Amino acid sequence: MQIRRKGRCPWNMLASWTVVALLGSIASYSQSSDVIYEGARLIVGDASAPIQNGSFVVRGGRIIAIGERSSIKTPAGAAHVDLTGKTVMPTMNNIHAHLGYEGYVSWSVENHTPENVLDHLEREAFYGVGTTMAMGEQPTDFAIEFQKNQLAGKFPPAARFFFAAGMAPPGGGPDALLIQGTGPLHAVYEVSSPEEAVAAVRKIAAMNIRELKFWVDNRDNTRGSRKKMPPEVYRPLIEEAHKHGMIVHAHATNLEDQKGVVEAGVDVLVHTLMAEKVDNEFLAILKSKRPYWTPVMGLGDRSELCDGDNGFVEQVLPDNVVADIKAGKTWLPSPPCSSPASAQFAQREENLQYNFPKYIAAGARIVLGTDAGVSAKYSYGFAEHHEIGMYVRLGLTPAEAIIASTSRPTEVLRIKDTGVLAKGKRADFIVLNANPLENIRNTREIDAVYLEGARLDREALRAKFKQAKGGSR
């Protein structure tokens, strides 16, 4: 098992930088009095019917009243915000991303700084994401310190940072790109026996870390003599983690491994089968265990930029980065937009069309995750909108996709203060110019994003993102 060294944390530099950033955003983020938001269609975020002509009152960053417009009493002195014709939904919550290494098109361990992690969380928030969980790639000391500083209010407004510790066989786990970051930072606990796995879980639990990811992947077999994590290691790993009240995520990409980890009791199954179809034995296991399921499919799609001008994506990317993506010059290899779709891609699509509805029918509880952070073509914030669009294309209703991206992730994150529009919850919400229940792509029609009752300065963020230094190297 690896012994970690502390990740590089230039906190002093970040602190001075944060002061400057806060000066530019505090006017739009602060809230000093009650505010009543009136007249919008309110999508609650759970199975409740939308409130067609609703109002809600925000005080101190929390919703203190919500319901039909006629039923809500306006507090004395409250400011009024007229949202007639708008739709309001909760901010989304992403339980699977990789933060800190991507520098738009460049990708390097040298990019992993507090400033870059914060930039990624700001890009998430820009697109209406309220929380984001880094999945197994963060050095523990770095992640704990970053989370502590964000909770203390030392950073500008951004998506809230959560993280899961990562575990894999020696030299295995993260793919050939991600391991270039996690390796030098000793971010992943490496175990090769049941005893090492149990000891690592106990060490992680002692730091009050409540989320754990392990990798089971055929690609480990291609790395010389290294082998993927076998059941005799991951079974006691899961059992020990559950003793400590931990949520366990398993990266598994083939049918045999997905059967194994779900049967072993993993809480969150990560990935969907791309190269093969589910069988009845696996469907029976899913029906018995009913795991959460994060399919993270969109990274395998062509970039939306290949479909022509796409202002929704381009607005956060420097122009040279857009050009590089279209040319296929991304750090994680991808074909240029000029390349025709391959036969492999067609087979992937056929398997997705077959498998996705069967996972759902068998009881897999779909929850939003994107795998963003390994390629600029599928990156922070806009990836969430693409991902939930795939859910609908493959069989979910828009209402089901919204639940999967808002309230259900909070069950995995084990937070009770967000995810739905309800009394007592944080006022984390998106104001939309169109109704996503009619067309899921209307989640892209963002008029405003509010985090804890304060409006995000999206114009300032957009200007910063477009001016960022990017490009292939």
Side-chain angles (χ1 to χ4, degrees):
M1 183 169 60
Q2 284 187 339
I3 303 298
R4 280 191 182 78
R5 63 174 174 82
K6 290 186 177 181
R8 295 168 291 109
C9 302
W11 299 107
N12 291 337
M13 180 172 62
L14 180 61
S16 60
W17 173 83
T18 299
V19 170
V20 175
L22 277 169
L23 291 175
S25 61
I26 194 167
S28 64
Y29 197 72
S30 61
Q31 178 188 317
S32 58
S33 63
D34 292 350
V35 181
I36 182 166
Y37 299 86
E38 302 174 290
R41 176 185 299 104
L42 306 181
I43 298 174
V44 177
D46 57 15
S48 304
I51 302 171
Q52 294 298 335
N53 183 17
S55 291
F56 58 101
V57 180
V58 174
R59 175 184 297 161
R62 300 273 173 162
I63 297 172
I64 64 167
I66 185 168
E68 294 286 347
R69 188 173 189 174
S70 60
S71 70
I72 301 301
K73 182 179 179 180
T74 303
H80 290 250
V81 177
D82 185 3
L83 296 181
T84 301
K86 308 289 187 182
T87 297
V88 173
M89 63 175 279
T91 53
M92 293 186 283
N93 300 293
N94 180 355
I95 71 162
H96 193 112
H98 301 294
L99 303 173
Y101 300 100
E102 179 198 307
Y104 294 95
V105 172
S106 68
W107 202 99
S108 170
V109 67
E110 298 302 320
N111 290 336
H112 192 272
T113 63
E115 294 96 328
N116 205 36
V117 172
L118 181 60
D119 174 79
H120 296 167
L121 294 170
E122 288 179 321
R123 288 158 66 185
E124 292 274 87
F126 176 87
Y127 281 108
V129 180
T131 64
T132 302
M133 182 151 63
M135 190 47 60
E137 82 288 344
Q138 297 298 312
T140 302
D141 293 339
F142 176 99
I144 291 173
E145 186 75 4
F146 188 97
Q147 190 173 61
K148 181 178 70 175
N149 280 289
Q150 188 181 50
L151 288 172
K154 295 183 179 180
F155 298 158
R160 283 191 287 175
F161 173 78
F162 289 79
F163 72 98
M167 194 177 298
D175 61 30
L177 177 67
L178 191 59
I179 204 169
Q180 295 177 34
T182 60
L185 295 182
H186 304 291
V188 176
Y189 288 83
E190 296 191 335
V191 299
S192 55
S193 69
E195 295 76 16
E196 288 181 347
V198 168
V201 170
R202 291 173 179 170
K203 182 176 180 180
I204 293 165
M207 292 182 281
N208 202 34
I209 297 170
R210 291 293 175 256
E211 305 272 350
L212 171 64
K213 173 189 179 178
F214 68 90
W215 279 267
V216 180
D217 203 315
N218 273 346
R219 65 191 175 207
D220 290 344
N221 293 332
T222 67
R223 299 174 181 171
S225 60
R226 300 183 180 96
K227 296 181 179 180
K228 65 183 177 183
M229 186 181 289
E232 57 265 29
V233 174
Y234 66 66
R235 284 183 175 272
L237 182 162
I238 295 170
E239 181 179 354
E240 185 67 25
H242 286 167
K243 289 179 182 178
H244 296 278
M246 301 175 75
I247 296 286
V248 184
H249 307 242
H251 167 114
T253 57
N254 67 35
L255 182 58
E256 177 187 4
D257 291 335
Q258 290 207 348
K259 288 179 181 179
V261 298
V262 175
E263 182 65 36
V266 73
D267 301 289
V268 185
L269 175 64
V270 183
H271 289 291
T272 187
L273 299 177
M274 302 288 191
E276 52 193 324
K277 291 182 170 65
V278 298
D279 62 15
N280 289 333
E281 180 184 28
F282 183 41
L283 295 176
I285 295 171
L286 288 173
K287 288 179 181 179
S288 173
K289 299 293 185 176
R290 295 192 70 247
Y292 291 100
W293 176 45
T294 309
V296 289
M297 302 174 289
L299 185 61
D301 281 354
R302 281 162 54 92
S303 170
E304 290 190 16
L305 297 176
C306 292
D307 299 327
D309 292 337
N310 187 318
F312 186 72
V313 174
E314 292 182 16
Q315 64 185 324
V316 298
L317 299 175
D319 293 343
N320 61 321
V321 174
V322 173
D324 281 347
I325 293 170
K326 291 181 177 181
K329 297 178 180 178
T330 50
W331 201 252
L332 183 71
S334 62
C337 291
S338 58
S339 296
S342 66
Q344 183 181 13
F345 184 84
Q347 183 62 55
R348 169 185 179 270
E349 179 63 21
E350 177 185 324
N351 289 339
L352 285 176
Q353 293 280 358
Y354 181 86
N355 289 336
F356 185 91
K358 291 187 177 296
Y359 278 91
I360 299 298
R365 292 174 286 172
I366 189 168
V367 59
L368 177 63
T370 60
D371 229 0
V374 294
S375 175
K377 77 166 188 172
Y378 198 67
S379 196
Y380 308 106
F382 61 80
E384 281 83 346
H385 295 266
H386 183 96
E387 199 80 21
I388 64 174
M390 292 187 74
Y391 299 168
V392 173
R393 179 172 65 80
L394 294 170
L396 291 192
T397 66
E400 290 169 334
I402 289 171
I403 291 171
S405 62
T406 57
S407 59
R408 190 171 297 132
T410 67
E411 299 171 16
V412 177
L413 294 165
R414 288 188 289 192
I415 53 177
K416 297 182 179 181
D417 61 353
T418 193
V420 292
L421 302 179
K423 183 178 179 179
K425 303 294 186 181
R426 283 170 50 118
D428 296 336
F429 59 92
I430 314 168
V431 180
L432 301 169
N433 292 321
N435 183 4
L437 297 175
E438 296 176 349
N439 184 334
I440 195 62
R441 286 186 68 85
N442 287 338
T443 62
R444 301 170 181 233
E445 298 296 323
I446 299 173
D447 179 72
V449 174
Y450 288 78
L451 299 177
E452 207 167 1
R455 182 167 176 154
L456 195 67
D457 190 346
R458 296 180 74 241
E459 288 305 314
L461 288 173
R462 182 186 288 111
K464 185 183 80 165
F465 299 148
K466 289 296 289 186
Q467 293 169 7
K469 293 181 179 179
S472 56
R473 56 172 173 153

